[in-house]
Amino acid sequence: EDQVTQSPEALRLQEGESSSLNCSYTVSGLRGLFWYRQDPGKGPEFLFTLYSAGEEKEKERLKATLTKKESFLHITAPKPEDSATYLCAVNAGGTSYGKLTFGQGTILTVHP
Amino acid sequence: KAGVTQTPRYLIKTRGQQVTLSCSPISGHRSVSWYQQTPGQGLQFLFEYFSETQRNKGNFPGRFSGRQFSNSRSEMNVSTLELGDSALYLCASSLDPGAGEQYFGPGTRLTVT
């Protein structure tokens, strides 16, 4: 069974204090790993897709990386508006059509 | 391009009733997936439709069903509602029917009393 574990569960940062979120996964044949951001009361917002180990993607203050067992979401010099829940998800391909398996998320709070 | 839309946004139902939720995908997207989000279980996959066919189903009881129309719009139905069905129901659409990224709608908040 596909499993995704995110850590830490919650992270509090001061504005400008860089850090990383972790996503460990167990899947039989990774087809894609996805990062989403979710604000309270809203649907998840797509951030990145990573397909193979060694791949990196960047967007503004966020950078996602992928190894064979985990992914990291690096946040550089965060701002209060980066506060949100960050979700990691995997698709195992094969017969897992349209199915994303999600981790529990990391709640990020950035204080001014 | 308009995003994924879901109606209604909020719904209050009584235990034992049934409910139908609607989802309109991004134009051109033919794959639609449904998820249930609760504080305890997080986001859990319900089912996926592509070209009006259900290709995948999660571990939910048969009270949860869905369908997709020829214009790719999708509906999900929950019959004989239980208190535990209270959740945020999210619809997501994808251009790639394989392992492509999914774009989520705002969700329908269902409360069962």
Side-chain angles (χ1 to χ4, degrees), chain A residues 86-108:
Chain A
Y86 289 85
L87 297 163
C88 172
V90 298
N91 178 273
T95 57
S96 296
Y97 300 113
K99 176 183 177 181
L100 295 181
T101 300
F102 281 85
Q104 290 294 101
T106 293
I107 303 171
L108 174 65

Side-chain angles (χ1 to χ4, degrees), chain A residues 38-85:
Chain A
Q38 186 174 28
D39 292 302
K42 296 187 177 181
E45 174 190 347
F46 170 75
L47 294 174
F48 301 110
T49 305
L50 300 167
Y51 290 109
S52 57
E55 192 173 357
E56 299 182 351
K57 295 275 182 71
E58 283 189 69
K59 179 181 179 180
E60 296 181 353
R61 296 177 293 283
L62 300 176
K63 178 180 177 180
T65 62
L66 181 65
T67 72
K68 289 186 177 180
K69 294 183 178 181
E70 58 191 350
S71 176
F72 292 93
L73 184 64
H74 307 278
I75 303 177
T76 302
K79 298 181 178 182
E81 53 262 41
D82 293 323
S83 297
T85 296

Side-chain angles (χ1 to χ4, degrees), chain A residues 34 36 38 43 49 97-98 100, chain B residues 33 35 37 45 56 99 101-102:
Chain A
F34 308 88
Y36 288 86
Q38 186 174 28
T49 305
Y97 300 113
L100 295 181
Chain B
S33 297
Y35 295 84
Q37 186 174 30
F45 173 76
N56 202 359
E101 55 260 23
Q102 297 181 10

